[in-house]
Amino acid sequence: MAADDFIPIPKMTVTMDYDPYETLCQDCRLVELCLPYGLPKTELEQFETIVKNKAPLLTDQYLYQQDEKCQSLFVVKTGSFRSFIYSEDGAEQTIGFYLPGELMGFDAFQHGRFTSSSIALETSKVCELPLSQLNKLCRLIPSLQSQMLRVLGKEIESDHNLILLLGHRSAKEKMATFLLRLSHRYNALGFSKTEFNLTMKRQDIANFLGITNETVSRLLAELNHQGIITINRRNVKINNMDSLKVIVE
Amino acid sequence: MAADDFIPIPKMTVTMDYDPYETLCQDCRLVELCLPYGLPKTELEQFETIVKNKAPLLTDQYLYQQDEKCQSLFVVKTGSFRSFIYSEDGAEQTIGFYLPGELMGFDAFQHGRFTSSSIALETSKVCELPLSQLNKLCRLIPSLQSQMLRVLGKEIESDHNLILLLGHRSAKEKMATFLLRLSHRYNALGFSKTEFNLTMKRQDIANFLGITNETVSRLLAELNHQGIITINRRNVKINNMDSLKVIVE
DNA sequence: CGCCCCCTTGAGGGTGGTCAACTTCTGTGG
DNA sequence: CCACAGAAGTTGACCACCCTCAAGGGGGCG
C-alpha cells in the first residue's frame, strides 16, 4: 500500500479516471435511463463530480464478488453483465443480466458486502459511484435520494418478476418470457426489438430460468422450427412477436 | 352498507389511532428488529411522532392492494401477513410471509404504487409509517436513512433467497428450507424454534414454493412419517433439525 | 490443424403435476 | 345442540414434462 505512493499510477487508469468527457453524464446517451435522471443541470453537474471511471472489463472478468466489501455502486455504460449468487453447496443461481443504464450492487446495502457476484459477459465499461460520496450527495439533493429509492424499487420489482417466472411457469413460457423481456429492454435502449445478440451462454439462460441448457436448446430449436424466431448461435430474430406473447399468455 | 353511516365509528379505532402508549417504539419489544434500530434516544423520540396506529386487521383483510397508491410503509406489530402479486393472466404468486418486526411496502418505491398485495393471515396489527414524513425524517437523521437502505437491502436479499429456492431446488428441499427458515425467524422473535403454528394455508405454502398443495401435503406427511417433524394441522414440531438441514444440504 | 468449449440432439426415467375421491374442520343457521 | 355446506387438507392413480446421461456437431482460437 505504502509503495503505491511512489509508483506512478498506470497511465490508462489516470486517463480513464480523469478523462473529462468520459464522466460527463450530460453527454451520456443513457442519462434518461440512469440514476441522475430528471436532475436539474446544476445538480447533475454535482453528480458528475463523484462518478469514477473504471478500466473496461474483459469477458469473464469479475466486477465484484460475493462477500466482498462494497465501496461503490456501478452502472453499466457499455456491454453487459451477469450477476449470480452461490448457495451453500456451491451451486450458482443467476439473478439477472444487466444492460447499459442499469445499476448493480444494491444487494450490498444490508451488510455493506455484496451478496452476489457480477461478471462481464463481454468487454464492458461501467461508471463507478463511490458509496460514501453518493450518500453525502443524496442528503444534499432530495430528488437524487428519491431517485435512488425508485431504482431500488425497480430492482425489487424485477426480482419479483423473476420469482413469478420461476415459480409458476413451464419451461416454454419461461423461454418466451425471457426473449420478450430482452427484446423490450433492447428496444428501450434504442436498439432493434426484433433482432439482437444474446451475450450470454445457453447455460447462463438455463440457470437463470431454473431449467437445463439442454431444455433451452430444445426450446429455441422448437421456436426456430415453428418460424416464430430465427436463431443462429447467439443471434436472435423475432419473426412473430405475437406468437411469443401467446405462449406467455 | 348505508346503515353503517349511522353507526358510530367503533371506539377501538379511535383509541388505536391516538393511544400514546401504542406508538412508543421505546417500549416495543420489537425495536431491535425494526426500522429505528440503533437510533439514539432523542431521534427515536422523533421517529415515534410519525408512527401511526391502524385498526387491527382481521383474517383475509387486505393491508394494501396491488396498483393502489402507496402513502405509507407498514411494520408488522402482531400477527402475520402474506404478500403476493398477480400475473397478467390472474394467477397469484406469493412473494413472502411477514412476521412481527418486518417491513412491508418497499416494492412501491419505483412508481409510488404497490406492486404487490398484502393480506392478513390472522388478526394482526401494524404500525403505519407515512412516506412523506418518513422521507423528511430520513433527511434529518442520516442513520435512519442508512437503516432504511439496510432494510431495503434485506428485502432484496430475501428475494434472492427465494429465487435460489425456486430455481434450483427439488420440492423436498424447498419444503425443508421453508420449515427451517420459519424456525429461524420465530427464534429471532423469541419464540420456540422447534414448535410453532403455521399461520398460512397449505395452498399458500405451495404457491410460495412453486409447487402444488398436494405435494406440500405429501411431503409434510413423509417428514412426519420419518419422525423428522410432528405435524398436526397447522401445528409443527421439529424433532430433528439436523435431518432437515441434511435435506437442504 | 487440432483442441476445447459451446451447443445440439437423442433415449430413457423420475419428479411432481393433474384429476378425483374422501376426510376433517369451520362456520352458519335452524 | 345438531345439520349442513363449504373450505381445507389428505391420499391415491396416472402420466407428462423436463432432467439426466450420453454422443456427436460446429465454431473460435492458439
Side-chain angles (χ1 to χ4, degrees):
Chain A
M1 281 295 157
D4 283 354
D5 297 340
F6 299 94
I7 298 173
I9 297 166
K11 274 215 173 130
M12 191 183 71
T13 309
V14 175
T15 311
M16 296 295 303
D17 277 343
Y18 299 102
D19 180 340
Y21 179 74
E22 285 280 348
T23 58
L24 280 183
C25 296
Q26 304 175 44
D27 300 331
C28 181
R29 72 196 168 81
L30 296 171
V31 70
E32 305 210 333
L33 302 164
C34 193
L35 190 56
Y37 169 67
L39 290 191
K41 194 158 186 297
T42 55
E43 299 178 339
L44 186 57
E45 280 165 3
Q46 272 189 289
F47 182 80
E48 279 167 355
T49 62
I50 72 162
V51 178
K52 275 170 62 181
N53 276 284
K54 269 178 79 83
L57 285 96
L58 304 178
T59 307
D60 289 335
Q61 215 176 332
Y62 281 95
L63 177 60
Y64 53 79
Q65 292 200 41
Q66 194 166 337
D67 297 328
E68 193 181 304
K69 200 162 177 196
C70 169
Q71 314 274 16
S72 303
L73 299 184
F74 301 94
V75 188
V76 184
K77 192 187 279 181
T78 64
S80 52
F81 288 82
R82 176 174 75 94
S83 80
F84 57 96
I85 46 182
Y86 292 109
S87 58
E88 303 82 50
D89 62 357
E92 279 186 14
Q93 164 74 46
T94 296
I95 296 295
F97 300 103
Y98 291 87
L99 301 185
E102 297 174 340
L103 266 85
M104 297 180 285
F106 285 128
D107 54 305
F109 276 157
Q110 186 184 11
H111 297 118
R113 291 180 181 277
F114 293 107
T115 61
S116 62
S117 302
S118 184
I119 200 169
L121 290 168
E122 57 193 312
T123 304
S124 303
K125 286 193 213 166
V126 296
C127 293
E128 181 174 355
L129 309 175
L131 267 188
S132 55
Q133 299 177 54
L134 188 59
N135 282 334
K136 272 183 215 153
L137 209 57
C138 279
R139 253 168 262 144
L140 293 174
I141 310 177
S143 56
L144 180 60
Q145 175 62 30
S146 35
Q147 183 68 6
M148 273 280 276
L149 292 177
R150 201 168 309 140
V151 179
L152 262 164
K154 190 176 165 189
E155 180 78 11
I156 291 180
E157 203 197 353
S158 125
D159 284 348
H160 285 183
N161 281 327
L162 181 53
I163 289 169
L164 201 57
L165 196 61
L166 290 172
H168 285 271
R169 299 299 178 181
S170 69
K172 197 169 183 177
E173 289 168 332
K174 288 176 180 179
M175 196 68 241
T177 305
F178 178 74
L179 291 174
L180 284 175
R181 288 200 193 151
L182 262 192
S183 155
H184 184 76
R185 285 159 74 188
Y186 278 122
N187 191 42
L189 284 172
F191 298 117
S192 166
K193 65 177 169 183
T194 55
E195 182 168 4
F196 47 86
N197 286 307
L198 302 172
T199 58
M200 69 293 285
K201 296 183 255 186
R202 299 285 190 272
Q203 177 57 46
D204 295 334
I205 301 175
N207 185 289
F208 178 64
L209 296 177
I211 56 183
T212 60
N213 52 1
E214 291 95 329
T215 301
V216 170
S217 256
R218 272 186 261 269
L219 289 172
L220 287 176
E222 187 188 341
L223 290 172
N224 186 60
H225 185 70
Q226 294 171 339
I228 297 173
I229 65 170
T230 305
I231 187 152
N232 194 312
R233 296 192 54 72
R234 302 266 179 112
N235 181 269
V236 182
K237 252 180 265 183
I238 300 181
N239 303 320
N240 192 338
M241 198 75 80
D242 290 336
S243 297
L244 281 183
K245 286 178 185 163
V246 167
I247 293 172
V248 172
E249 271 163 321
Chain B
M1 282 294 157
D4 286 351
D5 297 340
F6 299 96
I7 298 174
I9 298 169
K11 276 209 174 135
M12 192 181 67
T13 307
V14 177
T15 313
M16 294 296 303
D17 277 343
Y18 298 102
D19 180 342
Y21 178 75
E22 285 282 348
T23 59
L24 279 183
C25 295
Q26 304 175 43
D27 300 329
C28 181
R29 74 199 168 79
L30 296 170
V31 69
E32 306 209 334
L33 302 164
C34 192
L35 189 56
Y37 170 67
L39 289 192
K41 193 159 188 297
T42 55
E43 299 180 339
L44 187 56
E45 281 166 2
Q46 272 190 290
F47 182 80
E48 280 168 353
T49 64
I50 72 161
V51 178
K52 276 170 60 182
N53 276 284
K54 268 178 80 84
L57 284 97
L58 303 178
T59 306
D60 288 337
Q61 215 175 333
Y62 281 95
L63 177 60
Y64 52 78
Q65 292 200 40
Q66 195 165 336
D67 298 328
E68 192 181 303
K69 199 162 178 197
C70 169
Q71 313 275 16
S72 304
L73 299 183
F74 301 95
V75 189
V76 184
K77 191 186 281 181
T78 64
S80 54
F81 288 82
R82 176 174 75 95
S83 81
F84 58 95
I85 45 182
Y86 293 108
S87 58
E88 302 81 51
D89 61 358
E92 281 187 11
Q93 164 74 45
T94 297
I95 295 295
F97 300 102
Y98 292 87
L99 301 184
E102 296 175 341
L103 265 84
M104 297 180 286
F106 285 128
D107 54 302
F109 277 156
Q110 186 183 11
H111 295 120
R113 291 180 181 276
F114 293 107
T115 61
S116 62
S117 302
S118 184
I119 201 169
L121 290 169
E122 57 192 313
T123 304
S124 303
K125 286 193 212 168
V126 296
C127 293
E128 180 173 355
L129 309 175
L131 267 187
S132 55
Q133 299 177 54
L134 188 59
N135 283 334
K136 272 184 214 153
L137 208 57
C138 279
R139 253 168 262 143
L140 292 173
I141 310 177
S143 56
L144 180 60
Q145 174 63 29
S146 36
Q147 183 68 5
M148 274 280 277
L149 292 177
R150 200 168 309 141
V151 178
L152 262 165
K154 189 176 166 190
E155 179 78 11
I156 292 180
E157 203 197 354
S158 124
D159 284 347
H160 284 183
N161 280 328
L162 180 54
I163 290 169
L164 201 57
L165 196 60
L166 290 172
H168 285 271
R169 298 299 178 181
S170 69
K172 197 169 182 177
E173 290 169 332
K174 287 176 179 179
M175 196 68 241
T177 305
F178 178 74
L179 291 174
L180 283 176
R181 286 198 193 152
L182 261 193
S183 155
H184 184 76
R185 286 159 74 190
Y186 277 122
N187 192 41
L189 285 172
F191 298 118
S192 166
K193 65 177 170 183
T194 54
E195 181 167 4
F196 46 85
N197 286 307
L198 302 172
T199 59
M200 68 293 286
K201 296 182 255 187
R202 299 285 191 272
Q203 178 56 46
D204 295 334
I205 300 174
N207 185 289
F208 177 64
L209 297 176
I211 57 184
T212 60
N213 51 1
E214 292 95 329
T215 301
V216 169
S217 256
R218 272 186 262 268
L219 290 172
L220 288 177
E222 188 188 341
L223 290 173
N224 186 61
H225 185 71
Q226 293 171 340
I228 297 173
I229 65 171
T230 304
I231 187 152
N232 195 312
R233 297 194 51 74
R234 302 268 179 110
N235 180 269
V236 182
K237 252 180 266 183
I238 300 181
N239 303 319
N240 193 336
M241 198 76 80
D242 290 336
S243 297
L244 281 183
K245 286 178 184 162
V246 166
I247 293 172
V248 173
E249 268 165 322

